[in-house]
Amino acid sequence: MKLRDLAERLDCRLEGDGNIEILRVAGIEQAQPGDLTFVANRQYYSLLRSTRASAVILGSAAPEGPAEAGHDVPAPAPYGVLRSEHPYLTFARALGLFVQTRPPAKGVDRQSAVAPDATLGADVSIGPFVAIGAGASIGARTVIYPNVVIGPGARIGEDCLIYSQVSVREGVVVGNRVIVQNGAVLGSDGFGFAKQPDGTHFKIPQHADVVIEDDVEIGANTTIDRPAVGETRVRAGAKIDNLVQIAHGVSVGRRVLFAAQVGIAGSTVVDDDVVLAGQVGVGGHLHVGKGVKATGQTGITHSLEPEDFVSGCPSIPNREWLKASAVFPQLPALKKRVAELEQRIADLQEKLDECLTRLDR
Amino acid sequence: MKLRDLAERLDCRLEGDGNIEILRVAGIEQAQPGDLTFVANRQYYSLLRSTRASAVILGSAAPEGPAEAGHDVPAPAPYGVLRSEHPYLTFARALGLFVQTRPPAKGVDRQSAVAPDATLGADVSIGPFVAIGAGASIGARTVIYPNVVIGPGARIGEDCLIYSQVSVREGVVVGNRVIVQNGAVLGSDGFGFAKQPDGTHFKIPQHADVVIEDDVEIGANTTIDRPAVGETRVRAGAKIDNLVQIAHGVSVGRRVLFAAQVGIAGSTVVDDDVVLAGQVGVGGHLHVGKGVKATGQTGITHSLEPEDFVSGCPSIPNREWLKASAVFPQLPALKKRVAELEQRIADLQEKLDECLTRLDR
Amino acid sequence: MKLRDLAERLDCRLEGDGNIEILRVAGIEQAQPGDLTFVANRQYYSLLRSTRASAVILGSAAPEGPAEAGHDVPAPAPYGVLRSEHPYLTFARALGLFVQTRPPAKGVDRQSAVAPDATLGADVSIGPFVAIGAGASIGARTVIYPNVVIGPGARIGEDCLIYSQVSVREGVVVGNRVIVQNGAVLGSDGFGFAKQPDGTHFKIPQHADVVIEDDVEIGANTTIDRPAVGETRVRAGAKIDNLVQIAHGVSVGRRVLFAAQVGIAGSTVVDDDVVLAGQVGVGGHLHVGKGVKATGQTGITHSLEPEDFVSGCPSIPNREWLKASAVFPQLPALKKRVAELEQRIADLQEKLDECLTRLDR
């Protein structure tokens, strides 16, 4: 594709030779001639000097040429430039233009097991060894990859991608344009037991609702449990990474980002736009306010106000955590200093008493 | 179902109108007319005032009416009451009465692959795309959902539920009334390697036993490894949540509760009635005593005595951890106070020396 | 097998009766007559006194008999001895001699779905309900267990074992002698989104390469993501346990050992021979040097030099962490001591001022 055409399709201002032929999109360090790359972050501007890319997506504020960029860019820049207000987003869109996917064939594979009363929308693709239960429905253009199991009464929306080995349990509702990566489980039984007088655990039946709204993405081998009463809900546009646990009765807000191995315990409400880094744990029955952020491995043990930024276990404000963590390795030295102070103060006390005694004489 | 009949089936004392028609069981905040709900915990008594439920399960000690409850409940209570010694357990049982499951059809789906010498008990249900290996056996009334793989020689007991995408590896033994949620793996190879002189890792063959006793529940995408020698065993009544790792040679005690994302390293023995919250890690070759409890993200690095209650990494008594964690954010201030003390004591020392000098004159 | 033959096959020096018949390999505490066991670690020498094993693998430095071993071993040792330079490795090899696996039948199960243009090497074994996509290739002697899905264009090497429920996504390249445990996912989409002006997340297409080199083992339900550009690569001989997350663009070094539930965030480079214990998390865009070790639950937040040994979150040198962690529970006491010092120093100050006043008079 010519750089000129890319500029048009990506809504960018073109700088340089529009006839450059672009074959691929690549990271700036790996890029070769024929590649389009990008720099969105000021700290990587220096890489522009050495890139072999044929063209670069740059933000409006990025160096425009030798005059402005000083020693940061060679003169003249040996690459074309696509100028964008949102260079990272433009890069993402450019990638989409070069992707060559092999969508599975439309239609229902003859080695699948689709219940006679299941409803299939137009142009669905149902792979081999897919089982679809009684009364389930699959929306138009949705792709169900091989070996997926959709339980009875489950409803999957339109334009979804459900990758291999996924389980969508009975009655689970999935919106439109939802992507479920391989091995994820939607609607497994919540972990709920009532202790009996003899110490054994009576299983609380978990048959209530699970709702995954539109435009959600769910990572590989992630598990989302169904509750006994009420519902587990993942709201529109939420993005959940691999190996994440969403317990029964949890409400996940719009546009949240949960990195891999996050765990949310039962009945917790996570508001919109929350961002949890990898391996964060959130306790049960909490309320995590809108826009909260937590760094990796944070253990959230109490409810949080909107826009809180926390770290540590138990979680505290990130700023406090950073400062306290910097002192933590000095704890043994600090303890020693306190002991020395105690000794010195005892010595002082003694000498002072001596002073006072001598004064009293 | 009439409230009167529910009282009888749940062994409760009925208070109020036995003719109330109950259609559903719900949480107290979501409950609508026609719903039965419950309050087991004193802190939620106040919700009784505003609930729209038609009937409530209450403990013996719970408010009985306006005279006793003061301002906590309206007079007269606009709902029927089922009085129970164990309100939460009664709630769990009530849920079971209203559940409408769609059990898969009995029999063996024609799209399954059952080895000719596998043994199938009476009234089993084997879904499509289930593979059952040579010499395996499935007990009476057990349900194997679609796309499950049971390895050669594995033995599954009676009345089990094995959900879709589960792997039960060769020779694994599963007791009666065991529930295995979707995607769980029973009997994957333990992580055991012997370092060779050239630095590479020689795989130690992992072919010994895995035994899951009666009444165990295993969560979605949980993994239970088999050892090289000896056995991995999960004892009767243990309940294990999603994404939990049980390494090779681990012994899991009776009635333990492991929340999601817990990991137990190799050869560790966890005694009966242990409760581990989410994301707890337990080191290898340890002994965790009966009834131990650990809060979320605890890292257990040494063996624990019965009834220990621990937190933190490395784990310490919960009470100590709570207190120390409360001081942790003050570490920078504490360090500053120590530095100030050092300065003040140096000043004092100087002044005192001056005193002594003047006294000596 | 006679002990004499075992000695020969395992390259060990035989001590004792070569006619002893060995039926099984077992751990020292479980061993019964007829069993071969081992002791590789000095701290377990005392178990030699009570073992019921018929033969023991011992290192060159291990007790040779009553004269040397003092009270540690009975005289005469009631078992045969296989003497080895590497007793643990010899034990691992001995296990292999007694393993009776039931390899699945060679050939392609008639209930599989293999694309007409897929390439199958000699003597492959393809189980039931396996789906192999267009243009994929499977190397000679590789075993694909039931219900595995191999995407279009994926290439699996020779002598691999791909266990049930695994997903190998489109285009993923797997080397020779690779073992993939049940439910693992190779090549799921990386977690990459670009924020749009309206706050929603635009999915960055993730279609670049995933390469798993020779002799790698990947644990059950582990997930390995593919990147948008560049590649995710697991190098030769790396061993990865269950439920591990390898994010997009990560490079995993040769012979690394990642224990269960480890998570590596995007674009991080982990050099050769790194050992990460369970539940360790590594941040994104970091460089973890050769031979680094980290204890369980460590949170690696910055790049590490070769051979660093770290713990804690944020990670610090293990030695410092051990010492600081030992002081941590004393924080409340330390705080109290500081407050007492402040009080004492105020008292001293007062008395000293009194001294000085009296001196000034």
Side-chain angles (χ1 to χ4, degrees):
Chain A
M1 201 178 305
K2 290 209 184 307
L3 190 58
R4 179 181 304 113
D5 302 330
L6 272 170
E8 195 179 319
R9 293 182 68 170
L10 295 169
D11 260 330
C12 291
R13 200 173 74 230
L14 169 69
E15 298 173 8
D17 180 4
N19 287 318
I20 294 170
E21 192 69 35
I22 299 296
L23 304 169
R24 210 180 59 149
V25 180
I28 189 156
E29 292 182 273
Q30 291 80 41
Q32 298 300 319
D35 288 355
L36 171 67
T37 188
F38 82 109
V39 181
N41 190 321
R42 182 173 297 269
Q43 72 181 106
Y44 296 118
Y45 285 168
S46 62
L47 295 174
L48 288 171
R49 270 185 293 171
S50 53
T51 188
R52 306 188 61 206
S54 294
V56 179
I57 301 164
L58 290 174
S60 320
E64 290 200 29
E68 288 187 33
H71 57 280
D72 273 357
V73 247
Y79 44 75
V81 172
L82 296 183
R83 195 65 66 172
S84 161
E85 286 300 306
H86 305 285
Y88 191 51
L89 186 54
T90 299
F91 162 72
R93 291 196 169 126
L95 272 167
L97 298 180
F98 286 90
V99 162
Q100 288 168 4
T101 51
R102 307 183 226 200
K106 305 264 180 247
V108 179
D109 193 281
R110 62 176 184 81
Q111 284 172 288
S112 62
V114 180
D117 65 346
T119 308
L120 304 183
D123 291 326
V124 297
S125 167
I126 310 288
F129 317 126
V130 168
I132 299 183
S137 68
I138 311 293
R141 295 169 305 280
T142 281
V143 177
I144 313 278
Y145 280 86
N147 293 48
V148 165
V149 177
I150 310 284
R155 303 204 314 264
I156 314 280
E158 303 183 343
D159 299 298
C160 293
L161 296 174
I162 314 290
Y163 284 98
S164 293
Q165 316 290 12
V166 163
S167 300
V168 179
R169 288 272 296 266
E170 63 278 8
V172 168
V173 175
V174 175
N176 300 316
R177 298 172 304 280
V178 170
I179 299 174
V180 186
Q181 299 289 332
N182 309 66
V185 177
L186 312 187
S188 36
D189 289 4
F191 192 65
F193 301 91
K195 201 161 193 174
Q196 301 190 102
D198 67 356
T200 61
H201 306 291
F202 181 85
K203 180 176 173 71
I204 302 173
Q206 309 279 321
H207 293 283
D209 301 336
V210 173
V211 180
I212 312 295
E213 297 184 355
D214 295 345
D215 300 301
V216 166
E217 179 156 350
I218 293 168
N221 285 342
T222 279
T223 57
I224 300 183
D225 275 0
R226 69 193 324 139
V229 296
E231 63 174 22
T232 305
R233 181 174 289 262
V234 179
R235 287 172 206 277
K239 309 295 182 184
I240 297 177
D241 200 354
N242 300 343
L243 294 166
V244 169
Q245 154 76 354
I246 307 291
H248 51 173
V250 165
S251 165
V252 173
R254 288 172 196 82
R255 299 173 303 276
V256 306
L257 297 174
F258 288 174
Q261 298 174 319
V262 159
I264 314 288
S267 301
T268 282
V269 175
V270 178
D271 282 348
D272 296 348
D273 300 307
V274 166
V275 179
L276 303 181
Q279 300 185 337
V280 165
V282 183
H285 297 271
L286 302 182
H287 188 145
V288 178
K290 185 168 191 297
V292 161
K293 288 187 171 55
T295 58
Q297 297 190 334
T298 295
I300 297 177
T301 54
H302 54 275
S303 292
L304 294 172
E305 294 298 309
E307 308 302 331
D308 279 355
F309 178 23
V310 295
S311 299
C313 177
S315 57
I316 57 175
N318 169 264
R319 211 181 141 84
E320 284 184 34
W321 178 78
L322 284 174
K323 288 182 177 174
S325 297
V327 179
F328 178 74
Q330 308 164 19
L331 260 183
L334 200 64
K335 186 186 165 189
K336 206 175 150 206
R337 282 163 69 186
V338 168
E340 284 167 0
L341 281 171
E342 285 167 335
Q343 184 54 52
R344 284 174 66 187
I345 222 163
D347 294 349
L348 276 187
Q349 180 81 52
E350 203 175 307
K351 284 196 194 167
L352 185 58
D353 288 346
E354 188 195 321
C355 279
L356 288 167
T357 309
R358 288 169 66 181
L359 277 170
D360 287 343
R361 270 186 226 135
Chain B
M1 202 177 307
K2 289 207 184 308
L3 190 58
R4 178 182 304 113
D5 303 327
L6 271 170
E8 196 180 316
R9 294 182 68 171
L10 296 170
D11 261 329
C12 291
R13 199 171 77 229
L14 170 68
E15 296 173 9
D17 179 3
N19 287 318
I20 294 170
E21 193 69 35
I22 299 296
L23 304 169
R24 208 181 62 148
V25 180
I28 189 156
E29 292 182 273
Q30 291 79 41
Q32 298 299 319
D35 288 354
L36 171 67
T37 189
F38 81 108
V39 180
N41 189 320
R42 182 174 299 267
Q43 73 181 105
Y44 297 116
Y45 283 169
S46 62
L47 295 175
L48 288 170
R49 270 184 293 172
S50 54
T51 188
R52 306 187 63 206
S54 294
V56 179
I57 301 166
L58 291 174
S60 319
E64 291 200 28
E68 288 188 33
H71 57 280
D72 273 356
V73 247
Y79 44 74
V81 171
L82 297 182
R83 194 65 67 172
S84 160
E85 285 300 305
H86 305 286
Y88 190 52
L89 186 55
T90 299
F91 162 73
R93 290 194 170 125
L95 272 167
L97 298 179
F98 286 89
V99 162
Q100 287 167 4
T101 52
R102 307 182 226 200
K106 304 263 180 247
V108 178
D109 193 282
R110 64 175 182 82
Q111 284 172 287
S112 62
V114 180
D117 65 347
T119 307
L120 304 183
D123 292 328
V124 297
S125 168
I126 310 287
F129 316 126
V130 169
I132 299 182
S137 69
I138 311 293
R141 295 169 305 279
T142 282
V143 176
I144 312 279
Y145 280 86
N147 293 49
V148 165
V149 177
I150 310 284
R155 303 204 314 265
I156 314 281
E158 302 183 343
D159 300 299
C160 293
L161 295 174
I162 313 291
Y163 284 98
S164 293
Q165 316 289 14
V166 164
S167 299
V168 179
R169 287 272 296 266
E170 62 280 6
V172 168
V173 175
V174 174
N176 300 315
R177 298 172 304 280
V178 169
I179 299 174
V180 186
Q181 299 289 332
N182 309 67
V185 176
L186 312 185
S188 36
D189 289 3
F191 192 65
F193 302 90
K195 201 160 191 173
Q196 301 191 103
D198 67 355
T200 62
H201 306 291
F202 181 85
K203 180 176 174 69
I204 302 172
Q206 309 279 320
H207 293 283
D209 301 336
V210 173
V211 181
I212 312 295
E213 296 184 357
D214 294 345
D215 301 302
V216 166
E217 178 156 350
I218 294 168
N221 285 344
T222 279
T223 57
I224 301 183
D225 275 358
R226 70 192 326 140
V229 296
E231 63 175 23
T232 305
R233 182 174 288 264
V234 179
R235 288 172 205 277
K239 309 295 183 186
I240 297 176
D241 201 352
N242 300 343
L243 295 167
V244 169
Q245 154 76 351
I246 307 290
H248 51 171
V250 165
S251 166
V252 174
R254 289 171 196 82
R255 300 173 302 276
V256 307
L257 297 174
F258 288 173
Q261 298 174 318
V262 159
I264 314 288
S267 301
T268 281
V269 175
V270 179
D271 281 349
D272 297 347
D273 300 308
V274 165
V275 179
L276 303 181
Q279 300 184 335
V280 166
V282 184
H285 296 271
L286 303 182
H287 187 145
V288 178
K290 186 170 191 295
V292 161
K293 287 186 171 56
T295 57
Q297 297 190 331
T298 295
I300 298 177
T301 53
H302 53 276
S303 292
L304 295 172
E305 296 298 309
E307 309 303 331
D308 278 355
F309 178 23
V310 295
S311 299
C313 177
S315 58
I316 57 174
N318 170 263
R319 211 181 141 83
E320 283 185 35
W321 178 78
L322 284 175
K323 288 181 178 175
S325 296
V327 179
F328 177 74
Q330 307 165 20
L331 260 183
L334 200 64
K335 185 186 166 190
K336 205 175 151 205
R337 283 163 68 186
V338 169
E340 285 166 359
L341 281 170
E342 286 167 336
Q343 184 54 52
R344 285 174 65 187
I345 222 163
D347 294 349
L348 275 186
Q349 181 81 52
E350 203 175 307
K351 284 195 194 168
L352 186 58
D353 287 348
E354 187 194 321
C355 279
L356 288 167
T357 309
R358 286 168 66 181
L359 277 169
D360 287 343
R361 266 186 227 136
Chain C
M1 201 177 305
K2 289 207 186 304
L3 190 57
R4 178 182 304 113
D5 302 328
L6 271 171
E8 196 179 317
R9 294 182 68 170
L10 295 170
D11 261 330
C12 290
R13 200 172 76 229
L14 170 68
E15 297 173 10
D17 181 1
N19 287 317
I20 294 170
E21 193 68 36
I22 298 297
L23 304 169
R24 209 181 60 148
V25 180
I28 189 156
E29 292 181 274
Q30 292 79 40
Q32 298 300 317
D35 287 355
L36 171 67
T37 189
F38 81 109
V39 180
N41 189 320
R42 183 174 297 269
Q43 72 182 106
Y44 297 117
Y45 283 168
S46 62
L47 295 174
L48 288 170
R49 270 185 294 172
S50 53
T51 189
R52 305 188 63 206
S54 293
V56 179
I57 300 164
L58 290 174
S60 320
E64 292 201 29
E68 288 187 33
H71 57 280
D72 273 357
V73 245
Y79 43 75
V81 171
L82 296 183
R83 195 64 66 171
S84 161
E85 286 300 307
H86 304 286
Y88 190 52
L89 186 54
T90 299
F91 161 73
R93 290 194 170 127
L95 271 167
L97 298 179
F98 286 89
V99 162
Q100 288 166 4
T101 52
R102 306 183 227 200
K106 304 261 180 247
V108 179
D109 193 280
R110 63 176 182 82
Q111 285 171 287
S112 62
V114 179
D117 65 347
T119 308
L120 304 182
D123 292 327
V124 296
S125 168
I126 310 287
F129 317 127
V130 168
I132 299 182
S137 69
I138 312 292
R141 296 170 303 282
T142 281
V143 177
I144 312 278
Y145 281 86
N147 294 48
V148 165
V149 177
I150 310 284
R155 304 202 314 264
I156 315 280
E158 302 184 343
D159 299 298
C160 293
L161 296 173
I162 313 291
Y163 283 98
S164 294
Q165 316 291 13
V166 164
S167 299
V168 179
R169 288 271 297 265
E170 63 279 8
V172 169
V173 175
V174 175
N176 300 315
R177 297 172 304 281
V178 169
I179 301 175
V180 186
Q181 299 289 331
N182 310 65
V185 177
L186 311 187
S188 36
D189 289 3
F191 193 65
F193 301 91
K195 201 160 191 174
Q196 301 191 102
D198 67 356
T200 61
H201 306 291
F202 181 86
K203 180 176 173 70
I204 302 173
Q206 310 280 320
H207 292 283
D209 300 337
V210 174
V211 180
I212 312 294
E213 297 184 355
D214 294 345
D215 300 301
V216 165
E217 178 156 351
I218 293 168
N221 286 343
T222 280
T223 57
I224 300 183
D225 275 358
R226 71 192 324 140
V229 295
E231 64 175 22
T232 305
R233 181 174 289 262
V234 179
R235 288 171 205 277
K239 309 295 183 185
I240 298 177
D241 199 353
N242 301 342
L243 295 167
V244 169
Q245 154 76 352
I246 306 291
H248 51 173
V250 166
S251 166
V252 173
R254 290 172 195 81
R255 299 173 302 277
V256 307
L257 296 174
F258 289 173
Q261 298 174 320
V262 159
I264 314 289
S267 301
T268 281
V269 175
V270 179
D271 281 348
D272 297 347
D273 300 307
V274 165
V275 179
L276 303 182
Q279 300 184 337
V280 166
V282 184
H285 296 272
L286 303 182
H287 187 146
V288 178
K290 187 168 190 295
V292 161
K293 286 187 172 54
T295 58
Q297 297 189 334
T298 295
I300 297 178
T301 53
H302 53 276
S303 292
L304 294 172
E305 294 299 308
E307 308 303 330
D308 279 354
F309 178 24
V310 294
S311 299
C313 177
S315 58
I316 56 175
N318 170 264
R319 210 182 143 82
E320 284 184 36
W321 179 78
L322 285 175
K323 288 182 177 174
S325 297
V327 180
F328 177 73
Q330 307 163 20
L331 261 184
L334 200 64
K335 186 187 166 190
K336 206 175 150 204
R337 283 163 69 186
V338 169
E340 284 167 359
L341 281 170
E342 286 167 335
Q343 184 54 52
R344 284 175 65 186
I345 222 165
D347 293 349
L348 275 185
Q349 181 80 52
E350 203 174 308
K351 284 196 195 167
L352 184 59
D353 288 347
E354 188 194 320
C355 280
L356 287 168
T357 309
R358 288 169 65 181
L359 277 168
D360 286 343
R361 267 184 229 143

